Amino acid sequence: MARHLAQLNVGRLVADTDDPRVAEFMANLDRVNGLGKRSPGFVWMMEGSGEPGQGNTEAKIDGDPRYVANLTVWEDVASLEHFVWNTIHRQFYERKAEWFEVLGQMHFVMWWVEAGHRPTLEEALARLEHLKAHGASEHAFDWAYAKDATLWQTRACGTAA
């Protein structure tokens, strides 16, 4: 059975989504998400309200409206890696400390799914918890575990957020 790569990235905004401190981030969600959807290897994205500039911001984690969850599926690691590190996404990633709190724990996870599977946020959060509790494995992993991933080693910025 063919496999695709699922990924979850969670962040907690420094302010509510309508606060001027996160306005630039919110104003660019549609732009960056749209680019992702048009990128080679993109398969699926957990959609938000459909309202412009809202992304997935209404998918509350632990009832907290400042959590932002990005859940996507890609054909392979190389496709996701290209989008993250070789597109405008990287410019926003490098500025994440302006908009997101330092979580002090893992907030990103990848795992393989059967082609056609659309993971739920609950499933993705369980994978993230597994990674935190047990470390990287085929069940849940990070960039370092993904053998095909190389760009994160030279293009990732610090781990401030």
Side-chain angles (χ1 to χ4, degrees):
M1 182 53 96
R3 298 186 317 167
H4 285 157
L5 181 74
Q7 74 81 31
L8 171 71
N9 190 13
V10 175
R12 186 166 191 274
L13 294 168
V14 298
D16 291 340
T17 57
D18 60 353
D19 189 289
R21 290 175 286 173
V22 297
E24 186 178 4
F25 173 79
M26 295 301 297
N28 282 284
L29 273 175
D30 292 340
R31 176 181 176 205
V32 175
N33 286 343
L35 174 63
K37 291 176 185 179
R38 293 186 308 275
S39 292
F42 172 83
V43 175
W44 173 85
M45 173 182 283
M46 178 179 72
E47 295 293 344
S49 65
E51 296 292 321
Q54 294 303 304
N56 300 319
T57 57
E58 71 278 348
K60 296 171 182 52
I61 298 173
D62 295 332
D64 188 337
R66 288 175 41 196
Y67 272 105
V68 177
N70 179 268
L71 176 57
T72 58
V73 175
W74 297 80
E75 289 179 0
D76 50 36
V77 172
S79 298
L80 173 61
E81 188 178 39
H82 175 77
F83 169 70
V84 170
W85 308 116
N86 287 337
T87 70
I88 195 160
H89 175 277
R90 181 177 176 201
Q91 293 175 22
F92 289 92
Y93 177 83
E94 289 172 343
R95 295 178 57 198
K96 65 186 176 183
E98 295 177 38
W99 305 303
F100 291 94
E101 294 179 357
V102 176
L103 293 179
Q105 59 184 343
M106 296 290 295
H107 59 275
F108 173 78
V109 63
M110 296 182 283
W111 69 101
W112 295 106
V113 297
E114 286 187 16
H117 178 67
R118 303 300 180 248
T120 65
L121 182 57
E122 292 74 24
E123 175 187 346
L125 290 170
R127 296 284 180 151
L128 179 59
E129 289 306 314
H130 188 276
L131 177 61
K132 290 178 190 177
H134 305 287
S137 67
E138 275 296 303
H139 187 75
F141 52 92
D142 55 12
W143 288 117
Y145 186 87
K147 305 287 186 265
D148 297 339
T150 57
L151 295 176
W152 68 273
Q153 296 173 341
T154 57
R155 300 196 180 169
C157 59
T159 56

